[in-house]
Amino acid sequence: MTISSSRDAAGPTDAPEVPGAEAGSPPNPRRWAALTFIGLAQLMIVLDMTIVNIALPSAQKALAISDGNRQWIITAYTLAFGSLLFLGGRIADYTGRRRAFMIGLIGFAGASALGGASPNFGTLLAARTLQGMFAALLAPAVLALISVNFTKSDERAKAFGILGAIAAGGGAFGLIVGGTLTEYLDWRWCLFVNVPIAVVAAFGWYTLPADHRAAVRARFDLPGVVLVVAGLLAVVYGCSEAESSGWSSGKVIGLLVAGVVLLAVFVVVESRVTEPLLPLRVLLNRTRGSAYLAVGLAIVGMFSLFLFLTYYEQVVRGYSPVKTGCAFLPLTAGVLAGAGGISRRLLPKLPPRAIMAPGLLFGAIGVGWLTVLSPTTSYAGVLLPAQFVIGLGMGLVMAPAMNYATYGVDLRDTGVASASVTTMQQIGGSIGIALLNTIATSATTSYVGSHAKSPALLGNALTHGFTTGFGWAAGILAVAVVLVAALMNTPAPDPNAASDGAPAVHMG
């Protein structure tokens, strides 16, 4: 098929003027300095996806949170983040990327400070929800600013390689920071730590390109906002509830059916409104759609690794929070090698699927390797090399996926295109954790019921559940290899073409 320039394919020519950089404008002379501050903001967002996990037991005890409610400290953030990202991307497109970046940055820091000072569960829950809301504005602004700052393919590849390393490795780094802060200071510092990061990142205001006001007054697709928020909320909440209620419960089935129906109605509405929240042209591009799919499925494997290995190391092996965090260092090393080293060099030279499909395969092999775990497995013999292989694979996936998430998109849609890839991260992680945790818990319960009581029963049962979950995660990643290899037939980039110019590309 033939894909014309993104400006021709994007829609009416009387759309609002693009806030941010104008087509044909000279490169921002401070773009590399800007990348430093943008990267700090990205690090802050990614840290918050994992740093609270290690602090959760201490927070639960300090605030007297019940076992049934503790999950909401995590899901309040991911649900708000994932379900509001499309709105955040559209706001960034209309109001200006620099303005959205600063509002999101300041709001996220304020919500973090509120969470750290929380006197009770309700306040902490509200703070985590606010963090997710401001992250939904900040995250698409981050990726959109990269898109408008770096227009040459070689520079863009380097910038996204750096951002991809932060995005894929920041989660593991958050576990280390969370363990250190929890063990030596207090769990509240896992939230307070965002404040100094945000203060430093705010100095990036002067390095970012100036915003241009939209030519017409912004009109937001409110029906679309309600439908996508409600639909994603129902799907993710339904998957989360499956852990305690089971997949066959009426509540879970009802939530999942309602979520699918709401999202289907959302698609219909978006195809008919004049100014949609999510223009379907953003998703229907084969390159961008494949990038979103790869991210969503890759995150399933990554998040299951964080969840299961954290509990395996602390509960089964008795590691301290700091030791648990340090145990993830091989994962971080692999991510840095994949995203910051290999991907950065290969992105300007190879088609994206030639990088992403092998990356997903490495991820599947590494996660599959963890299925041999036992309560006495050697760290150096299995956990260390398996994590490095997984990290290498995730690095190879995330850098090109983030690059091609805005491939050929009109400048006015870069915010919402960026929001789409980040939404896949959040929703993929939430659904993946709910699905795989339910599988692991069921396997653990079955193991306990079929084995005689002994001092080693709990450790054996938990490990059996985790390895079962890893097996399913490896299978999902293997399916992702096939899908990405088949769908993403995008050619290698033209080193002489500006990446946002989106020249005509012939495929298939």
Side-chain angles (χ1 to χ4, degrees), residues 12 60 129 170 191 218 406 478 496:
Q60 180 181 358
T129 302
L191 292 162
T406 54
N496 299 315

Side-chain angles (χ1 to χ4, degrees), residues 323-389:
K323 188 175 180 180
T324 298
C326 292
F328 282 95
L329 283 175
L331 179 70
T332 305
V335 167
L336 293 175
I342 299 174
S343 287
R344 181 174 62 83
R345 291 177 173 84
L346 297 183
L347 265 172
K349 303 175 183 178
L350 296 178
R353 68 175 172 187
I355 306 171
M356 295 168 66
L360 289 166
L361 181 59
F362 277 124
I365 292 171
V367 173
W369 197 344
L370 294 174
T371 60
V372 305
L373 286 179
S374 74
T376 59
T377 296
S378 163
Y379 177 83
V382 175
L383 288 169
L384 189 156
Q387 285 188 79
F388 182 81
V389 171

Side-chain angles (χ1 to χ4, degrees), residues 243-293:
E243 180 182 351
S244 58
S245 302
W247 291 103
S248 61
S249 73
K251 181 179 182 180
V252 170
I253 293 174
L255 284 167
L256 293 177
V257 170
V260 171
V261 171
L262 287 168
L263 292 175
V265 175
F266 168 73
V267 172
V268 174
V269 169
E270 296 307 280
S271 67
R272 297 183 178 182
V273 296
T274 304
E275 295 184 21
L277 177 68
L278 174 61
L280 296 185
R281 61 181 175 266
V282 172
L283 294 181
L284 295 179
N285 176 278
R286 189 165 176 173
T287 298
R288 294 192 296 269
S290 298
Y292 305 150
L293 179 66

Side-chain angles (χ1 to χ4, degrees), residues 11-373:
T13 57
D14 58 351
E17 182 183 350
V18 178
E22 294 180 297
S25 61
N28 176 14
R30 294 171 290 190
R31 58 191 179 277
W32 291 109
L35 180 61
T36 301
F37 299 108
I38 294 170
L40 279 174
Q42 176 71 7
L43 176 63
M44 186 176 68
I45 295 171
V46 177
L47 278 178
D48 226 68
M49 295 179 188
T50 57
I51 195 171
V52 176
N53 284 276
I54 288 184
L56 186 56
S58 298
Q60 180 181 358
K61 182 178 179 181
L63 300 182
I65 303 171
S66 69
D67 289 344
N69 286 332
R70 66 185 178 187
Q71 65 165 327
W72 288 106
I73 303 304
I74 303 299
T75 55
Y77 176 78
T78 58
L79 288 176
F81 194 174
S83 62
L84 292 174
L85 268 167
F86 291 122
L87 177 61
R90 185 50 71 196
I91 290 174
D93 284 335
Y94 276 117
T95 65
R97 287 69 183 259
R98 183 169 71 167
R99 187 177 295 109
F101 177 83
M102 293 303 299
I103 293 172
L105 193 67
I106 294 169
F108 193 94
S112 298
L114 175 63
S118 295
N120 52 51
F121 170 66
T123 305
L124 181 57
L125 187 65
R128 291 289 286 166
T129 302
L130 286 171
Q131 278 187 304
M133 293 171 63
F134 283 109
L137 180 61
L138 181 59
V142 164
L143 288 185
L145 283 169
I146 295 293
S147 296
V148 299
N149 269 284
F150 299 93
T151 57
K152 294 182 179 180
S153 61
D154 57 340
E155 289 191 348
R156 184 181 172 98
K158 293 176 183 178
F160 273 107
I162 294 170
L163 204 67
I166 294 172
F173 182 61
L175 292 169
I176 300 172
V177 174
T180 303
L181 293 175
T182 300
E183 189 163 335
Y184 294 109
L185 292 175
D186 187 82
W187 67 268
R188 297 178 183 276
W189 280 96
C190 291
L191 292 162
F192 286 144
V193 71
N194 291 322
V195 177
I197 296 176
V199 169
V200 175
F203 284 100
W205 169 268
Y206 297 102
T207 68
L208 301 176
D211 291 325
H212 297 271
R213 291 188 177 275
V216 297
R217 184 178 179 180
R219 289 181 293 173
F220 293 105
D221 173 22
L222 295 181
V225 173
V226 173
L227 287 167
V228 75
V229 169
L232 291 174
L233 179 63
V235 170
V236 176
Y237 181 50
C239 290
S240 299
E241 282 294 296
E243 180 182 351
S244 58
S245 302
W247 291 103
S248 61
S249 73
K251 181 179 182 180
V252 170
I253 293 174
L255 284 167
L256 293 177
V257 170
V260 171
V261 171
L262 287 168
L263 292 175
V265 175
F266 168 73
V267 172
V268 174
V269 169
E270 296 307 280
S271 67
R272 297 183 178 182
V273 296
T274 304
E275 295 184 21
L277 177 68
L278 174 61
L280 296 185
R281 61 181 175 266
V282 172
L283 294 181
L284 295 179
N285 176 278
R286 189 165 176 173
T287 298
R288 294 192 296 269
S290 298
Y292 305 150
L293 179 66
V295 168
L297 295 178
I299 290 297
V300 171
M302 179 71 86
F303 272 44
S304 69
L305 180 78
F306 290 147
L307 178 68
F308 296 149
L309 280 191
T310 297
Y311 277 91
Y312 170 78
E313 290 167 354
Q314 291 197 40
V315 178
V316 178
R317 302 299 295 270
Y319 288 9
S320 68
V322 170
K323 188 175 180 180
T324 298
C326 292
F328 282 95
L329 283 175
L331 179 70
T332 305
V335 167
L336 293 175
I342 299 174
S343 287
R344 181 174 62 83
R345 291 177 173 84
L346 297 183
L347 265 172
K349 303 175 183 178
L350 296 178
R353 68 175 172 187
I355 306 171
M356 295 168 66
L360 289 166
L361 181 59
F362 277 124
I365 292 171
V367 173
W369 197 344
L370 294 174
T371 60
V372 305
L373 286 179

